[in-house]
Amino acid sequence: MRKKNVPSIVKDQQLVKYRRNQIIQSAVKLFIQKGFHRTTTREISKLSGFSIGTLYEYIGSKEDVLYLVCDAVYDEVIHRLHTYLNTELEGIERLKLAVESYFRVVDQMQDEVLVMYQEAKSLQKEALQYVLEKEMLITQSIEQVIRHCVDSHLLTLDEKQIKLFSHNILVNGHMWAFRRWALKKSYTIDEYIELQIEQLLNGLKGQAMSTMLY
């Protein structure tokens, strides 16, 4: 997984990090409002608080901004998820925590997650491949928790079922961001998490019963 080299003429790496963080925060707001293609670099620079010339000292193109946004969002999601999972819990309780943790990260980063999934398709092939591999790191973190339950004989799933279950967890988490306009009319985030965990685990119990019957 090779990170894209985003050009910068500024040598001070601390300043580069600071300015790019400003750019990322401004870009997320604009991409949510207008979308990637309708947002201009001039608008991004203005909202960031500096000139268009200064903006281009830290990037080479508007696509670089989108790449920086996606890369930063994935890194933050992975960091927060691992922070939540830094616990002594094991087995099914750890699986419940993994589901809850991912959903809470999505809740905390709704705008960023929405931008990432709506606009990443505009990246060029190599950059898109990189951010998709970051997505797989998140999926694999969930898979590890599920696989531990299987290895401990708490769940009966084969490899394909483990992978599909982990994808189901991520999709249900994304739904909180994608359909928040509807879901928030009926549920708090706590209610949503509780019901989703209940349905996910009941689905596994039903699957186990079907396997026994056949």
Side-chain angles (χ1 to χ4, degrees):
M1 184 167 63
R2 190 171 69 179
K3 192 179 183 75
K4 179 181 177 181
N5 180 30
V6 177
S8 172
I9 64 174
V10 178
K11 302 303 180 186
D12 184 339
Q13 290 304 304
Q14 286 297 109
L15 182 57
V16 170
K17 183 177 180 180
Y18 176 74
R19 289 297 194 199
R20 284 182 173 174
N21 187 53
Q22 288 179 292
I23 292 168
I24 289 164
Q25 290 179 21
S26 299
V28 167
K29 293 176 184 176
L30 289 165
F31 292 167
I32 281 289
Q33 293 171 10
K34 306 178 65 173
F36 169 71
H37 291 292
R38 292 178 58 201
T39 297
T40 67
T41 51
R42 191 169 298 279
E43 288 171 324
I44 295 170
S45 67
K46 182 178 179 180
L47 191 57
S48 300
F50 41 77
S51 69
I52 186 72
T54 300
L55 178 74
Y56 278 106
E57 291 178 0
Y58 297 94
I59 62 164
S61 66
K62 189 171 77 168
E63 189 197 290
D64 286 341
V65 177
L66 178 58
Y67 172 80
L68 290 173
V69 167
C70 292
D71 193 32
V73 171
Y74 274 120
D75 280 347
E76 186 63 20
V77 169
I78 292 168
H79 170 71
R80 292 192 192 190
L81 181 59
H82 287 174
T83 299
Y84 275 123
L85 288 174
N86 184 20
T87 173
E88 306 248 331
L89 290 176
E90 295 291 341
I92 298 298
E93 291 307 310
R94 185 174 177 82
L95 176 56
K96 289 180 181 179
L97 178 64
V99 176
E100 177 182 353
S101 299
Y102 187 70
F103 287 12
R104 291 202 184 280
V105 169
V106 172
D107 180 54
Q108 294 161 8
M109 301 180 66
Q110 293 173 48
D111 286 346
E112 291 89 343
V113 169
L114 197 58
V115 164
M116 185 171 63
Y117 283 101
Q118 285 182 336
E119 306 296 350
K121 60 184 181 295
S122 298
L123 291 169
Q124 293 182 0
K125 184 177 179 180
E126 187 175 345
L128 178 59
Q129 184 60 38
Y130 172 82
V131 298
L132 290 178
E133 286 176 9
K134 284 280 190 78
E135 165 89 1
M136 289 308 300
L137 290 178
I138 300 171
T139 310
Q140 287 165 11
S141 295
I142 302 294
E143 279 182 23
Q144 287 176 2
V145 179
I146 299 169
R147 192 169 283 108
H148 179 75
C149 289
V150 172
D151 293 342
S152 301
H153 306 291
L154 299 170
L155 296 175
T156 304
L157 299 170
D158 61 28
E159 190 61 26
K160 286 187 176 182
Q161 290 170 327
I162 291 172
K163 290 184 179 298
L164 184 58
F165 187 43
S166 64
H167 284 294
N168 283 342
I169 291 170
L170 263 66
V171 169
N172 283 318
H174 299 161
M175 185 165 66
W176 181 250
F178 296 159
R179 295 190 59 80
R180 59 188 177 183
W181 57 272
L183 291 172
K184 287 188 175 183
K185 293 177 183 177
S186 302
Y187 312 100
T188 65
I189 182 60
D190 291 332
E191 290 170 336
Y192 184 76
I193 290 169
E194 183 179 352
L195 288 169
Q196 285 287 2
I197 289 175
E198 182 182 323
Q199 289 190 5
L200 285 163
L201 293 180
N202 284 343
L204 288 180
K205 290 176 184 175
Q207 182 174 292
M209 288 297 294
S210 297
T211 302
M212 289 173 63
L213 289 172
Y214 287 100

